[in-house]
Amino acid sequence: EAGVAQSPRYKIIEKRQSVAFWCNPISGHATLYWYQQILGQGPKLLIQFQNNGVVDDSQLPKDRFSAERLKGVDSTLKIQPAKLEDSAVYLCASSSIRDTGEGGYTFGSGTRLTVV
Amino acid sequence: EDKVVQSPLSLVVHEGDTVTLNCSYEVTNFRSLLWYKQEKKAPTFLFMLTSSGIEKKSGRLSSILDKKELFSILNITATQTGDSAVYLCAVGPKAAGNKLTFGGGTRVLVKP
């Protein structure tokens, strides 16, 4: 079974530029999550999708962050304009309520963003 | 607001030592507690705990949950340099959707 795919793996941008990350979840997983992990901290949920609908985006800085999940499969997360404090690893994960092993969660390998 | 606190923040041990990592939580509608190992970017799954007092083991790692006192511990015996990593604790709600709330992690460094 293929895992959760993310790209790019690394990105360096200047502040005020825009950036986009892509995630392809495990086939059949209805729920998709974007987490932000700042160095030295645990991951923090930015947004959760159920199919192509948003379940929770309460911690998404909506003035600069946006995310979509078209057709309930792939998802993109965009930051525009980026700030220095957005430097972090962005983790995508997917889950299925039918999966009971490993908490039903599978993480992608993440995208490390550095804003200079 | 759900809260997960891990301690210690970091520790340094020598190969062969035993380490105990702590995770305390305050969440509404608790469903499960998960432990992850994070070496580079992606967290890798270690354990999922849902019932109190039942120890889960995998090789030199073990974990147990106390739902009355709202904490879990992760033990690593006979540590090896490959155990060096950040260990993350996360809790999930009872409702479907499995949103996880993570603690800040414990960074473990095992020296030869």
Side-chain angles (χ1 to χ4, degrees), chain B residues 33-105:
Chain B
L33 185 145
L34 294 89
W35 283 98
Y36 290 90
K37 179 182 182 182
Q38 188 175 35
E39 293 177 88
K40 293 184 179 177
K41 286 191 289 186
T44 54
F45 174 82
L46 294 175
F47 298 110
M48 182 174 70
L49 304 160
T50 57
S51 301
S52 273
I54 299 174
E55 184 182 52
K56 292 214 171 180
K57 292 197 71 171
S58 177
R60 296 175 294 102
L61 278 67
S62 64
S63 184
I64 197 162
L65 174 68
D66 186 328
K67 290 169 74 173
K68 182 179 177 184
E69 299 298 328
L70 308 183
F71 78 91
S72 173
I73 60 172
L74 175 69
N75 281 316
I76 310 173
T77 59
T79 52
Q80 303 171 358
T81 55
D83 295 326
S84 296
V86 173
Y87 291 83
L88 295 167
C89 170
V91 294
K94 195 177 288 287
N98 295 343
K99 179 184 77 171
L100 295 179
T101 300
F102 283 87

Side-chain angles (χ1 to χ4, degrees), chain A residues 66-77:
Chain A
S66 64
E68 60 182 8
R69 190 182 184 196
L70 299 176
K71 301 180 181 178
V73 182
D74 294 6
S75 177
T76 56
L77 176 69

Side-chain angles (χ1 to χ4, degrees), chain A residues 9 33 37 45 100 105 108-109, chain B residues 38 41-42 48 97-99:
Chain A
R9 296 189 65 186
Y33 316 78
Q37 187 175 20
L45 180 72
T100 57
Y105 246 74
S109 57
Chain B
Q38 188 175 35
K41 286 191 289 186
M48 182 174 70
N98 295 343
K99 179 184 77 171

